[in-house]
Every structure is written in C-alpha cells, then in structure tokens.
Amino acid sequence: MPRIDRAATAVLALLALTAAACGGGGAKAKVTPAPPRPTPTPVALTPQLAADRFRSWSVNDDVARASGDERLALSWVVDGQYALTAAEFRKASHNGDPVPRFTYGKPTFYVPKFQEVKTYPQWFVAAVPRTEQGKPKSERTALMAFILRSPGDQWKLSLETDLDPKAKPPKVVLDGQGYATALQTGDTSVLIRPRDLPGIQATIAAEGPSSVASKVMASGPVTTGMNADIQQARKKARHQGLGFSSVVVATPYPIFALRAEQGGGLVLYSLFRNNSLYVKSKDRPKRKPPIPPEAAHLLDGTVPGYDIDYTETLQLAASDPANPKNNANLPKADVIGYFGTISKATAPTPKPS
C-alpha cells in the first residue's frame, strides 16, 4: 500500500472541504432566516403630537443649518421644500455665506381629524411667526405643512410659505377638541376647487388681467403681477437681442386644504415657473446668453449652448371663499401667501445638427 505523506493528506482534506462547500454531496450549511421586521404601529395624529413633531423638526433643522449639513437638512424635507432647501444650501455655498437660520415664535396648529388611524398620508399645518436670525425686521407669519406618508416614515416639511403682511387670512374652524377639518381637493363648497387653484393662477399668469380666470381670483403680485413680470422680462430680453419664454404650471406636490369660517377654505399649494433665456437662431453661433445673476449659483459658470433654462418653485397660500348661491355677488379667491426661488437651472449642450 503506497505511503501518503502529511502534505498529500492536507491536500486531500482541502479538496474534500471544497467539494462539500460546492454541494458535492457534503452536508449543507444551515441557513437561519432573518427575523421579520416588526410593522410600525400607527399613531393617532393629535394637536399634542403635532406640537411635538414641530419642535423636533425645528431643532433638527437648526442643527443642520448651524453646521452647514445639507444632507441632514434634506432628510427633514420633502416635495417642493426639498428643492428649495437644496437651492438654499447651494446659494450659501456659492456666495460664501452661512445658511440662513430662523427663530420661531408660538405656533398655532391646524390638525385635521382623520377618521381612521391607519389613513395615510397624514398632515397638519403650523402657522408660526418666523424671523431670520440677524435680521430682526424680517419677521413673517409662516404657514408650514408637514406630512407623514407611512407609519415607518418621519414627519417632514412639505411646504412653507410666508403670509403677506397686509393679508387677512381666513380663520380656520376648530372643533371643541382643537381639530380642524380637511377639505378634499375636489370640494365644490368653495368657489374654486382646491385642485383647480394652481391652474387658475397659472392661467392668469399667462393671460393677465383680461383673463376670464381673473373673475374668480383677485389681482396681486403673483397673479396679474406675475404676468406683468413675464412681460417685462420678455421686453428686457428683446432689447438685448435675446428671446425669453416663461410658463407657469402645476406641480405633482400635495395640496393642503382646510375649512375656514363662513364656508370658505385656506389652501396651500405649489407651482413651477419654467423660464428660458435663449439666443435667436439668426444670431447663432455668434453669441451666448448671459447667465442670470439669480441663477448663477446653480450653474458652473459656463454656457455650452444657446439656451439657459431655469425653474422657480413657488409655494402659495390662498383664501378660497364659499361658493355663493347668488352669482351676482361673486367673491374672489385671493393669494395671501407666497414664497419661491429658483430651484433648478441648466445650460443644455446643443444637439449635433
């Protein structure tokens, strides 16, 4: 019988282990299944819970701003507020400035009473005095809509807009327990269904005071005033030998609507204003469009082509009166809150002809 030395024995043992690991007849390793994740328990939304979540949010937002931690700040916002927050950090970095921080006064909470604890998304609105630190004259009443999309998620700020200092907001109706009433976006008890407010405002921005939509929405800085601003920007571009276009459109973001006194509503919603500054065909390739100063922080300083596209995210609050029975005394909806800035800018590379 041939002699097998120790080295050969070790090789044979290694081959046997390898075969077993590859399923060649050896014992299979026992796999222990991971324990199932516990399902988060839904928690009823109450005014007290809203107050607690607002405090948590404001503390975390301030920590993020104080430290310049954009990732942390973005983890506490969603929807239009996400785009605006990212642009805010980008602008501060571009200008070499600290990110603005805010001091909040005593908030008032408008908390809808959902019929089922398991109803999602859940949301509430906080009306709160807000002052930018270092600017004592900057105090405004902010309307802030927070949203929770599932039990396992965290409450995030979806929309923030600032009331016009001269505006008289409708008084939101609260029941004996401090709950507000949410309006469906298709509610017809108000003059303009909440889901139609963005489209009505966009129509006035496009057509101006002569628009039929002006019969149901009042003139103001972001209705007929936005139309005037678009006309002025187009005129300025024409004097520079450039073209300019601007289109206001609705967003996919949530609409937050609350019942107010006398059958009206307070509605929070968003719009996009898509702008384009471009060199006319006859002047290409002799010149490039100048970068608008308000969009410089979102571009890298170069324009490879002949177009600069930039989008403003606008967040708004409107007073929506009750739908009148007598059309002869038709009231008007009024945009009473506005906040917005450029949240996206691109300078596309020309396509090969």
Side-chain angles (χ1 to χ4, degrees):
M1 182 175 180
R3 181 180 176 184
I4 302 177
D5 60 19
R6 291 183 178 181
T9 302
V11 170
L12 290 173
L14 179 60
L15 290 173
L17 288 172
T18 303
C22 295
K28 294 183 178 180
K30 184 179 180 180
V31 178
T32 303
R37 282 187 174 184
T39 302
T41 302
V43 178
L45 175 58
T46 64
Q48 293 75 23
L49 180 66
D52 179 73
R53 296 300 180 263
F54 175 82
R55 283 192 296 269
S56 295
W57 179 89
S58 60
V59 169
N60 282 280
D61 179 69
D62 189 58
V63 168
R65 290 171 178 274
S67 61
D69 191 336
E70 181 179 1
R71 179 178 293 185
L72 176 60
L74 292 178
S75 71
W76 288 93
V77 292
V78 72
D79 302 322
Q81 199 63 32
Y82 188 98
L84 290 173
T85 301
E88 192 174 22
F89 272 77
R90 183 82 175 265
K91 185 176 182 178
S93 176
H94 179 269
N95 295 338
D97 296 330
V99 182
R101 296 170 64 187
F102 300 93
T103 300
Y104 295 92
K106 183 179 179 180
T108 299
F109 296 102
Y110 304 129
V111 182
K113 192 171 187 177
F114 295 97
Q115 296 299 319
E116 298 289 339
V117 175
K118 297 181 180 179
T119 299
Y120 289 94
Q122 294 184 1
W123 57 271
F124 67 88
V125 173
V128 57
R130 189 180 78 157
T131 305
E132 184 175 342
Q133 294 183 17
K135 297 181 179 180
K137 295 183 179 180
S138 65
E139 181 177 315
R140 295 287 185 273
T141 296
L143 293 176
M144 309 172 72
F146 292 84
I147 193 167
L148 179 71
R149 289 205 160 93
S150 70
D153 202 357
Q154 67 182 16
W155 284 94
K156 297 180 180 181
L157 180 63
S158 172
L159 182 155
E160 184 276 323
T161 190
D162 296 332
L163 278 179
D164 186 317
K166 298 180 181 179
K168 294 182 179 180
K171 188 174 181 180
V172 175
V173 176
L174 302 179
D175 66 15
Q177 296 178 307
Y179 287 95
T181 299
L183 297 181
Q184 298 296 320
T185 59
D187 195 299
T188 58
S189 67
V190 286
L191 177 63
I192 303 174
R193 293 182 300 181
R195 70 184 179 209
D196 294 335
L197 276 165
I200 293 290
Q201 186 174 348
T203 300
I204 297 174
E207 300 176 357
S210 62
S211 172
V212 174
S214 292
K215 293 182 178 181
V216 292
M217 181 173 279
S219 297
V222 287
T223 53
T224 52
M226 195 183 301
N227 174 264
D229 181 68
I230 291 171
Q231 300 303 325
Q232 182 63 29
R234 189 175 291 136
K235 182 179 180 180
K236 179 181 178 181
R238 188 165 58 247
H239 286 165
Q240 296 175 329
L242 301 168
F244 177 82
S245 66
S246 185
V247 180
V248 181
V249 297
T251 74
Y253 304 141
I255 294 173
F256 307 96
L258 295 159
R259 175 67 71 196
E261 287 185 339
Q262 300 179 350
L266 173 65
V267 186
L268 278 60
Y269 58 97
S270 302
L271 285 170
F272 288 140
R273 177 176 164 183
N274 298 319
N275 308 288
S276 181
L277 183 67
Y278 56 91
V279 175
K280 297 178 181 180
S281 299
K282 64 183 181 63
D283 294 327
R284 302 179 182 183
K286 293 182 293 183
R287 60 181 301 196
K288 300 289 183 72
I291 296 176
E294 63 271 23
H297 61 287
L298 296 172
L299 296 168
D300 61 3
T302 61
V303 181
Y306 309 103
D307 305 79
I308 296 175
D309 302 322
Y310 55 100
T311 296
E312 298 173 56
T313 298
L314 312 175
Q315 310 217 102
L316 308 123
S319 173
D320 195 0
N323 200 344
K325 296 179 181 179
N326 181 3
N327 289 333
N329 298 318
L330 189 67
K332 289 187 177 184
D334 192 12
V335 180
I336 58 174
Y338 165 79
F339 178 79
T341 190
I342 297 173
S343 56
K344 179 182 179 183
T346 58
T349 301
K351 296 180 180 179
S353 56

